[in-house]
Amino acid sequence: MTTAPDTGRVKGTPGTGKWTSRTYAFTAAESDPALTFTSQVTGTRTHLTCTPMIAAVHAVEVPPAVDKTVDRTALGTSEAFKGNEREKSLHNAAAACNGENACTFRPDPRTSFRYYGQARVIGETFINCTRNPLEHTRVLQYSERSHDSIAQTYSNANLALEEVARLPTTGDRAEDVKRIKARPMATQFALAYGKTWQRPWQWFSSDQRQINEKIMPGEVSWVELQPSRERVEGWFVSNKEDYRLHTVIDGPSRAVPDRLMQRTGPMTETEKQRCVADRPTTTTPVGAGTPASSADKGLQEIPAPTAPGSRAATAVPLR
């Protein structure tokens, strides 16, 4: 494509030129692609006074729609780059961040979101098989943990998680507390999260609630939890900007409260069968159908009381 004639150009004075604008759209096949312009002019031509020129390049990234149905236990594969070259493993990039101020986490708000997790039953299910309403109080305890794509990438490749790549996402409270203090990447992520969303990040959460229940006859009572969670996607970037490590972290959110649903409802068929089941008992081998004999009251000697300070009772026969 050649430059269009510049009708306003004055001889001897550089003109503004007649630039042709073009827009191109393409779908990247990988994260952080490199866009390269290659000239089709392969040799010099005597009638050309200028080589090919490109100016005012402006690139706008349109991220794909966020898939919020991805489970927190399958956050995808983390990728590491040195410059624009993909690394074969995550080790070098994670090791480059293994210092207090060695890396900065850069969250991507476009692909980060908060959500409610799938409901689950916490505590026991109470079934009222009696003929009267039941009222009681019980204590419920529940907890949430975090997940990260780095650990899942190692796990999917059947590799042991290296020390430098460990984030506090084990689900073991004591181990995660230790990693929060010892792992610089955990601090780098938490600082960037707090700066971006103006609230602190929490790697795990727990709570305890006292529930008062009133269960009507023939009904069942249970409690469901929908935890409030948050998913953050972004890059750990070394301060030298030579290494970049793509990471997705999913953890309990402080943005909105958890949902606790106290529920009652009719019994299932299995629960109804359980309620009409015979109670444990045994047989009477001899005289099962014989009427009961006379009372033995007053026929046997009443033993003296053994408790200190008590008086012995005197048996008085009835007439």
PDB file of all heavy atoms in Angstrom, residues 137-167:
ATOM      1  N   THR A 137     -31.868 -26.179  70.724  1.00  0.00           N
ATOM      2  CA  THR A 137     -30.814 -25.266  70.280  1.00  0.00           C
ATOM      3  C   THR A 137     -29.557 -26.070  69.992  1.00  0.00           C
ATOM      4  O   THR A 137     -29.197 -26.969  70.756  1.00  0.00           O
ATOM      5  CB  THR A 137     -30.512 -24.209  71.363  1.00  0.00           C
ATOM      6  OG1 THR A 137     -31.707 -23.475  71.629  1.00  0.00           O
ATOM      7  CG2 THR A 137     -29.423 -23.252  70.902  1.00  0.00           C
ATOM      8  N   ARG A 138     -28.916 -25.751  68.888  1.00  0.00           N
ATOM      9  CA  ARG A 138     -27.652 -26.423  68.566  1.00  0.00           C
ATOM     10  C   ARG A 138     -26.653 -25.423  68.025  1.00  0.00           C
ATOM     11  O   ARG A 138     -27.013 -24.344  67.551  1.00  0.00           O
ATOM     12  CB  ARG A 138     -27.876 -27.547  67.561  1.00  0.00           C
ATOM     13  CG  ARG A 138     -28.486 -27.130  66.240  1.00  0.00           C
ATOM     14  CD  ARG A 138     -28.407 -28.261  65.250  1.00  0.00           C
ATOM     15  NE  ARG A 138     -29.294 -28.102  64.110  1.00  0.00           N
ATOM     16  CZ  ARG A 138     -29.073 -28.689  62.937  1.00  0.00           C
ATOM     17  NH1 ARG A 138     -28.009 -29.440  62.755  1.00  0.00           N
ATOM     18  NH2 ARG A 138     -29.934 -28.525  61.940  1.00  0.00           N
ATOM     19  N   VAL A 139     -25.375 -25.779  68.077  1.00  0.00           N
ATOM     20  CA  VAL A 139     -24.286 -24.915  67.631  1.00  0.00           C
ATOM     21  C   VAL A 139     -23.718 -25.461  66.327  1.00  0.00           C
ATOM     22  O   VAL A 139     -23.417 -26.661  66.218  1.00  0.00           O
ATOM     23  CB  VAL A 139     -23.175 -24.827  68.696  1.00  0.00           C
ATOM     24  CG1 VAL A 139     -22.006 -24.004  68.176  1.00  0.00           C
ATOM     25  CG2 VAL A 139     -23.718 -24.211  69.982  1.00  0.00           C
ATOM     26  N   LEU A 140     -23.588 -24.584  65.318  1.00  0.00           N
ATOM     27  CA  LEU A 140     -23.039 -24.964  64.013  1.00  0.00           C
ATOM     28  C   LEU A 140     -21.684 -24.304  63.813  1.00  0.00           C
ATOM     29  O   LEU A 140     -21.507 -23.129  64.141  1.00  0.00           O
ATOM     30  CB  LEU A 140     -23.986 -24.539  62.888  1.00  0.00           C
ATOM     31  CG  LEU A 140     -25.350 -25.206  62.847  1.00  0.00           C
ATOM     32  CD1 LEU A 140     -26.184 -24.595  61.738  1.00  0.00           C
ATOM     33  CD2 LEU A 140     -25.225 -26.706  62.644  1.00  0.00           C
ATOM     34  N   GLN A 141     -20.751 -25.037  63.274  1.00  0.00           N
ATOM     35  CA  GLN A 141     -19.423 -24.511  62.944  1.00  0.00           C
ATOM     36  C   GLN A 141     -19.128 -24.818  61.482  1.00  0.00           C
ATOM     37  O   GLN A 141     -19.445 -25.908  60.988  1.00  0.00           O
ATOM     38  CB  GLN A 141     -18.345 -25.148  63.827  1.00  0.00           C
ATOM     39  CG  GLN A 141     -18.480 -24.804  65.305  1.00  0.00           C
ATOM     40  CD  GLN A 141     -17.431 -25.492  66.150  1.00  0.00           C
ATOM     41  OE1 GLN A 141     -16.957 -26.573  65.808  1.00  0.00           O
ATOM     42  NE2 GLN A 141     -17.061 -24.870  67.253  1.00  0.00           N
ATOM     43  N   TYR A 142     -18.523 -23.860  60.781  1.00  0.00           N
ATOM     44  CA  TYR A 142     -18.159 -24.078  59.383  1.00  0.00           C
ATOM     45  C   TYR A 142     -16.928 -23.243  59.044  1.00  0.00           C
ATOM     46  O   TYR A 142     -16.616 -22.262  59.726  1.00  0.00           O
ATOM     47  CB  TYR A 142     -19.317 -23.731  58.440  1.00  0.00           C
ATOM     48  CG  TYR A 142     -19.806 -22.300  58.523  1.00  0.00           C
ATOM     49  CD1 TYR A 142     -19.311 -21.317  57.683  1.00  0.00           C
ATOM     50  CD2 TYR A 142     -20.785 -21.933  59.449  1.00  0.00           C
ATOM     51  CE1 TYR A 142     -19.763 -20.006  57.750  1.00  0.00           C
ATOM     52  CE2 TYR A 142     -21.244 -20.636  59.521  1.00  0.00           C
ATOM     53  CZ  TYR A 142     -20.728 -19.681  58.671  1.00  0.00           C
ATOM     54  OH  TYR A 142     -21.173 -18.381  58.745  1.00  0.00           O
ATOM     55  N   SER A 143     -16.233 -23.634  58.008  1.00  0.00           N
ATOM     56  CA  SER A 143     -15.004 -22.936  57.605  1.00  0.00           C
ATOM     57  C   SER A 143     -14.839 -23.005  56.093  1.00  0.00           C
ATOM     58  O   SER A 143     -15.406 -23.874  55.427  1.00  0.00           O
ATOM     59  CB  SER A 143     -13.780 -23.561  58.299  1.00  0.00           C
ATOM     60  OG  SER A 143     -13.644 -24.924  57.937  1.00  0.00           O
ATOM     61  N   GLU A 144     -14.049 -22.064  55.552  1.00  0.00           N
ATOM     62  CA  GLU A 144     -13.742 -21.985  54.129  1.00  0.00           C
ATOM     63  C   GLU A 144     -12.235 -21.841  53.942  1.00  0.00           C
ATOM     64  O   GLU A 144     -11.538 -21.279  54.796  1.00  0.00           O
ATOM     65  CB  GLU A 144     -14.455 -20.785  53.497  1.00  0.00           C
ATOM     66  CG  GLU A 144     -15.958 -20.963  53.332  1.00  0.00           C
ATOM     67  CD  GLU A 144     -16.310 -21.987  52.282  1.00  0.00           C
ATOM     68  OE1 GLU A 144     -15.849 -21.860  51.135  1.00  0.00           O
ATOM     69  OE2 GLU A 144     -17.037 -22.933  52.611  1.00  0.00           O
ATOM     70  N   ARG A 145     -11.727 -22.312  52.811  1.00  0.00           N
ATOM     71  CA  ARG A 145     -10.297 -22.235  52.489  1.00  0.00           C
ATOM     72  C   ARG A 145     -10.110 -21.621  51.113  1.00  0.00           C
ATOM     73  O   ARG A 145     -11.077 -21.356  50.390  1.00  0.00           O
ATOM     74  CB  ARG A 145      -9.677 -23.628  52.506  1.00  0.00           C
ATOM     75  CG  ARG A 145     -10.436 -24.620  51.639  1.00  0.00           C
ATOM     76  CD  ARG A 145      -9.671 -25.889  51.374  1.00  0.00           C
ATOM     77  NE  ARG A 145      -8.539 -25.667  50.486  1.00  0.00           N
ATOM     78  CZ  ARG A 145      -7.859 -26.641  49.885  1.00  0.00           C
ATOM     79  NH1 ARG A 145      -8.204 -27.903  50.089  1.00  0.00           N
ATOM     80  NH2 ARG A 145      -6.846 -26.380  49.092  1.00  0.00           N
ATOM     81  N   SER A 146      -8.867 -21.395  50.731  1.00  0.00           N
ATOM     82  CA  SER A 146      -8.543 -20.828  49.415  1.00  0.00           C
ATOM     83  C   SER A 146      -7.975 -21.903  48.495  1.00  0.00           C
ATOM     84  O   SER A 146      -7.525 -22.961  48.947  1.00  0.00           O
ATOM     85  CB  SER A 146      -7.536 -19.682  49.559  1.00  0.00           C
ATOM     86  OG  SER A 146      -8.105 -18.587  50.229  1.00  0.00           O
ATOM     87  N   HIS A 147      -7.996 -21.605  47.187  1.00  0.00           N
ATOM     88  CA  HIS A 147      -7.420 -22.469  46.160  1.00  0.00           C
ATOM     89  C   HIS A 147      -6.598 -21.586  45.216  1.00  0.00           C
ATOM     90  O   HIS A 147      -6.910 -20.399  45.039  1.00  0.00           O
ATOM     91  CB  HIS A 147      -8.512 -23.189  45.366  1.00  0.00           C
ATOM     92  CG  HIS A 147      -9.419 -24.032  46.214  1.00  0.00           C
ATOM     93  ND1 HIS A 147      -9.254 -25.385  46.379  1.00  0.00           N
ATOM     94  CD2 HIS A 147     -10.517 -23.696  46.958  1.00  0.00           C
ATOM     95  CE1 HIS A 147     -10.203 -25.852  47.175  1.00  0.00           C
ATOM     96  NE2 HIS A 147     -10.981 -24.849  47.543  1.00  0.00           N
ATOM     97  N   ASP A 148      -5.562 -22.159  44.593  1.00  0.00           N
ATOM     98  CA  ASP A 148      -4.773 -21.388  43.626  1.00  0.00           C
ATOM     99  C   ASP A 148      -4.380 -22.257  42.452  1.00  0.00           C
ATOM    100  O   ASP A 148      -4.235 -23.486  42.581  1.00  0.00           O
ATOM    101  CB  ASP A 148      -3.528 -20.779  44.295  1.00  0.00           C
ATOM    102  CG  ASP A 148      -2.463 -21.824  44.598  1.00  0.00           C
ATOM    103  OD1 ASP A 148      -2.535 -22.457  45.666  1.00  0.00           O
ATOM    104  OD2 ASP A 148      -1.556 -22.003  43.764  1.00  0.00           O
ATOM    105  N   SER A 149      -4.224 -21.609  41.292  1.00  0.00           N
ATOM    106  CA  SER A 149      -3.930 -22.346  40.057  1.00  0.00           C
ATOM    107  C   SER A 149      -2.496 -22.860  40.009  1.00  0.00           C
ATOM    108  O   SER A 149      -2.201 -23.796  39.263  1.00  0.00           O
ATOM    109  CB  SER A 149      -4.194 -21.448  38.845  1.00  0.00           C
ATOM    110  OG  SER A 149      -3.374 -20.295  38.881  1.00  0.00           O
ATOM    111  N   ILE A 150      -1.573 -22.251  40.785  1.00  0.00           N
ATOM    112  CA  ILE A 150      -0.180 -22.723  40.775  1.00  0.00           C
ATOM    113  C   ILE A 150      -0.103 -24.129  41.344  1.00  0.00           C
ATOM    114  O   ILE A 150       0.480 -25.036  40.730  1.00  0.00           O
ATOM    115  CB  ILE A 150       0.718 -21.750  41.564  1.00  0.00           C
ATOM    116  CG1 ILE A 150       0.731 -20.377  40.904  1.00  0.00           C
ATOM    117  CG2 ILE A 150       2.136 -22.301  41.657  1.00  0.00           C
ATOM    118  CD1 ILE A 150       1.541 -19.338  41.657  1.00  0.00           C
ATOM    119  N   ALA A 151      -0.692 -24.322  42.523  1.00  0.00           N
ATOM    120  CA  ALA A 151      -0.676 -25.655  43.130  1.00  0.00           C
ATOM    121  C   ALA A 151      -1.406 -26.666  42.259  1.00  0.00           C
ATOM    122  O   ALA A 151      -0.977 -27.826  42.132  1.00  0.00           O
ATOM    123  CB  ALA A 151      -1.304 -25.587  44.520  1.00  0.00           C
ATOM    124  N   GLN A 152      -2.502 -26.252  41.623  1.00  0.00           N
ATOM    125  CA  GLN A 152      -3.257 -27.173  40.770  1.00  0.00           C
ATOM    126  C   GLN A 152      -2.472 -27.533  39.516  1.00  0.00           C
ATOM    127  O   GLN A 152      -2.589 -28.646  39.002  1.00  0.00           O
ATOM    128  CB  GLN A 152      -4.602 -26.547  40.418  1.00  0.00           C
ATOM    129  CG  GLN A 152      -5.534 -26.415  41.616  1.00  0.00           C
ATOM    130  CD  GLN A 152      -6.832 -25.698  41.296  1.00  0.00           C
ATOM    131  OE1 GLN A 152      -7.159 -25.463  40.126  1.00  0.00           O
ATOM    132  NE2 GLN A 152      -7.580 -25.328  42.316  1.00  0.00           N
ATOM    133  N   THR A 153      -1.659 -26.594  39.008  1.00  0.00           N
ATOM    134  CA  THR A 153      -0.824 -26.892  37.836  1.00  0.00           C
ATOM    135  C   THR A 153       0.200 -27.966  38.165  1.00  0.00           C
ATOM    136  O   THR A 153       0.423 -28.900  37.381  1.00  0.00           O
ATOM    137  CB  THR A 153      -0.118 -25.619  37.353  1.00  0.00           C
ATOM    138  OG1 THR A 153      -1.101 -24.641  36.980  1.00  0.00           O
ATOM    139  CG2 THR A 153       0.774 -25.905  36.158  1.00  0.00           C
ATOM    140  N   TYR A 154       0.841 -27.840  39.321  1.00  0.00           N
ATOM    141  CA  TYR A 154       1.787 -28.881  39.751  1.00  0.00           C
ATOM    142  C   TYR A 154       1.069 -30.216  39.941  1.00  0.00           C
ATOM    143  O   TYR A 154       1.567 -31.263  39.533  1.00  0.00           O
ATOM    144  CB  TYR A 154       2.469 -28.464  41.055  1.00  0.00           C
ATOM    145  CG  TYR A 154       3.663 -27.549  40.873  1.00  0.00           C
ATOM    146  CD1 TYR A 154       3.511 -26.177  40.808  1.00  0.00           C
ATOM    147  CD2 TYR A 154       4.952 -28.073  40.775  1.00  0.00           C
ATOM    148  CE1 TYR A 154       4.597 -25.333  40.655  1.00  0.00           C
ATOM    149  CE2 TYR A 154       6.051 -27.244  40.622  1.00  0.00           C
ATOM    150  CZ  TYR A 154       5.870 -25.867  40.563  1.00  0.00           C
ATOM    151  OH  TYR A 154       6.950 -25.052  40.406  1.00  0.00           O
ATOM    152  N   SER A 155      -0.103 -30.173  40.574  1.00  0.00           N
ATOM    153  CA  SER A 155      -0.834 -31.409  40.851  1.00  0.00           C
ATOM    154  C   SER A 155      -1.271 -32.098  39.563  1.00  0.00           C
ATOM    155  O   SER A 155      -1.156 -33.321  39.433  1.00  0.00           O
ATOM    156  CB  SER A 155      -2.049 -31.091  41.721  1.00  0.00           C
ATOM    157  OG  SER A 155      -2.826 -32.239  41.947  1.00  0.00           O
ATOM    158  N   ASN A 156      -1.750 -31.322  38.592  1.00  0.00           N
ATOM    159  CA  ASN A 156      -2.200 -31.900  37.323  1.00  0.00           C
ATOM    160  C   ASN A 156      -1.051 -32.525  36.550  1.00  0.00           C
ATOM    161  O   ASN A 156      -1.265 -33.436  35.732  1.00  0.00           O
ATOM    162  CB  ASN A 156      -2.890 -30.842  36.471  1.00  0.00           C
ATOM    163  CG  ASN A 156      -4.201 -30.368  37.090  1.00  0.00           C
ATOM    164  OD1 ASN A 156      -4.794 -31.065  37.908  1.00  0.00           O
ATOM    165  ND2 ASN A 156      -4.637 -29.174  36.709  1.00  0.00           N
ATOM    166  N   ALA A 157       0.165 -32.011  36.773  1.00  0.00           N
ATOM    167  CA  ALA A 157       1.345 -32.569  36.097  1.00  0.00           C
ATOM    168  C   ALA A 157       2.011 -33.672  36.918  1.00  0.00           C
ATOM    169  O   ALA A 157       3.091 -34.148  36.550  1.00  0.00           O
ATOM    170  CB  ALA A 157       2.353 -31.454  35.811  1.00  0.00           C
ATOM    171  N   ASN A 158       1.375 -34.062  38.036  1.00  0.00           N
ATOM    172  CA  ASN A 158       1.914 -35.105  38.929  1.00  0.00           C
ATOM    173  C   ASN A 158       3.296 -34.735  39.453  1.00  0.00           C
ATOM    174  O   ASN A 158       4.189 -35.579  39.561  1.00  0.00           O
ATOM    175  CB  ASN A 158       1.962 -36.460  38.215  1.00  0.00           C
ATOM    176  CG  ASN A 158       0.586 -36.986  37.885  1.00  0.00           C
ATOM    177  OD1 ASN A 158      -0.344 -36.845  38.666  1.00  0.00           O
ATOM    178  ND2 ASN A 158       0.450 -37.583  36.699  1.00  0.00           N
ATOM    179  N   LEU A 159       3.466 -33.457  39.777  1.00  0.00           N
ATOM    180  CA  LEU A 159       4.726 -32.968  40.319  1.00  0.00           C
ATOM    181  C   LEU A 159       4.529 -32.510  41.753  1.00  0.00           C
ATOM    182  O   LEU A 159       3.461 -32.012  42.121  1.00  0.00           O
ATOM    183  CB  LEU A 159       5.255 -31.798  39.483  1.00  0.00           C
ATOM    184  CG  LEU A 159       5.577 -32.088  38.015  1.00  0.00           C
ATOM    185  CD1 LEU A 159       5.947 -30.803  37.283  1.00  0.00           C
ATOM    186  CD2 LEU A 159       6.716 -33.105  37.908  1.00  0.00           C
ATOM    187  N   ALA A 160       5.560 -32.674  42.563  1.00  0.00           N
ATOM    188  CA  ALA A 160       5.519 -32.180  43.939  1.00  0.00           C
ATOM    189  C   ALA A 160       5.592 -30.650  43.923  1.00  0.00           C
ATOM    190  O   ALA A 160       6.370 -30.071  43.167  1.00  0.00           O
ATOM    191  CB  ALA A 160       6.679 -32.769  44.741  1.00  0.00           C
ATOM    192  N   LEU A 161       4.785 -30.010  44.748  1.00  0.00           N
ATOM    193  CA  LEU A 161       4.748 -28.551  44.803  1.00  0.00           C
ATOM    194  C   LEU A 161       6.035 -28.042  45.434  1.00  0.00           C
ATOM    195  O   LEU A 161       6.352 -28.367  46.581  1.00  0.00           O
ATOM    196  CB  LEU A 161       3.538 -28.073  45.606  1.00  0.00           C
ATOM    197  CG  LEU A 161       3.313 -26.566  45.663  1.00  0.00           C
ATOM    198  CD1 LEU A 161       3.090 -25.995  44.266  1.00  0.00           C
ATOM    199  CD2 LEU A 161       2.132 -26.235  46.567  1.00  0.00           C
ATOM    200  N   GLU A 162       6.767 -27.222  44.682  1.00  0.00           N
ATOM    201  CA  GLU A 162       8.048 -26.711  45.174  1.00  0.00           C
ATOM    202  C   GLU A 162       7.838 -25.675  46.273  1.00  0.00           C
ATOM    203  O   GLU A 162       6.814 -24.999  46.336  1.00  0.00           O
ATOM    204  CB  GLU A 162       8.844 -26.119  44.009  1.00  0.00           C
ATOM    205  CG  GLU A 162       9.196 -27.153  42.951  1.00  0.00           C
ATOM    206  CD  GLU A 162       9.738 -26.521  41.680  1.00  0.00           C
ATOM    207  OE1 GLU A 162       9.091 -25.633  41.140  1.00  0.00           O
ATOM    208  OE2 GLU A 162      10.826 -26.928  41.262  1.00  0.00           O
ATOM    209  N   GLU A 163       8.854 -25.539  47.121  1.00  0.00           N
ATOM    210  CA  GLU A 163       8.759 -24.633  48.266  1.00  0.00           C
ATOM    211  C   GLU A 163       8.467 -23.201  47.842  1.00  0.00           C
ATOM    212  O   GLU A 163       7.659 -22.508  48.454  1.00  0.00           O
ATOM    213  CB  GLU A 163      10.070 -24.698  49.059  1.00  0.00           C
ATOM    214  CG  GLU A 163      10.103 -23.815  50.295  1.00  0.00           C
ATOM    215  CD  GLU A 163       9.201 -24.311  51.404  1.00  0.00           C
ATOM    216  OE1 GLU A 163       8.910 -25.519  51.435  1.00  0.00           O
ATOM    217  OE2 GLU A 163       8.777 -23.470  52.227  1.00  0.00           O
ATOM    218  N   VAL A 164       9.108 -22.726  46.782  1.00  0.00           N
ATOM    219  CA  VAL A 164       8.955 -21.328  46.369  1.00  0.00           C
ATOM    220  C   VAL A 164       7.572 -21.032  45.795  1.00  0.00           C
ATOM    221  O   VAL A 164       7.183 -19.869  45.679  1.00  0.00           O
ATOM    222  CB  VAL A 164      10.037 -20.944  45.332  1.00  0.00           C
ATOM    223  CG1 VAL A 164      11.417 -20.966  45.967  1.00  0.00           C
ATOM    224  CG2 VAL A 164       9.977 -21.874  44.118  1.00  0.00           C
ATOM    225  N   ALA A 165       6.837 -22.073  45.418  1.00  0.00           N
ATOM    226  CA  ALA A 165       5.536 -21.868  44.764  1.00  0.00           C
ATOM    227  C   ALA A 165       4.360 -22.119  45.700  1.00  0.00           C
ATOM    228  O   ALA A 165       3.217 -22.128  45.255  1.00  0.00           O
ATOM    229  CB  ALA A 165       5.423 -22.793  43.549  1.00  0.00           C
ATOM    230  N   ARG A 166       4.623 -22.285  46.986  1.00  0.00           N
ATOM    231  CA  ARG A 166       3.558 -22.638  47.916  1.00  0.00           C
ATOM    232  C   ARG A 166       2.838 -21.401  48.439  1.00  0.00           C
ATOM    233  O   ARG A 166       3.449 -20.513  49.019  1.00  0.00           O
ATOM    234  CB  ARG A 166       4.121 -23.445  49.083  1.00  0.00           C
ATOM    235  CG  ARG A 166       4.657 -24.803  48.670  1.00  0.00           C
ATOM    236  CD  ARG A 166       5.280 -25.541  49.833  1.00  0.00           C
ATOM    237  NE  ARG A 166       5.802 -26.833  49.426  1.00  0.00           N
ATOM    238  CZ  ARG A 166       6.471 -27.664  50.231  1.00  0.00           C
ATOM    239  NH1 ARG A 166       6.676 -27.318  51.483  1.00  0.00           N
ATOM    240  NH2 ARG A 166       6.916 -28.815  49.770  1.00  0.00           N
ATOM    241  N   LEU A 167       1.535 -21.373  48.222  1.00  0.00           N
ATOM    242  CA  LEU A 167       0.679 -20.331  48.777  1.00  0.00           C
ATOM    243  C   LEU A 167      -0.161 -20.939  49.906  1.00  0.00           C
ATOM    244  O   LEU A 167      -0.310 -22.164  49.984  1.00  0.00           O
ATOM    245  CB  LEU A 167      -0.229 -19.758  47.680  1.00  0.00           C
ATOM    246  CG  LEU A 167       0.476 -18.907  46.619  1.00  0.00           C
ATOM    247  CD1 LEU A 167      -0.484 -18.590  45.476  1.00  0.00           C
ATOM    248  CD2 LEU A 167       1.019 -17.632  47.215  1.00  0.00           C
TER     249      LEU A 167
END
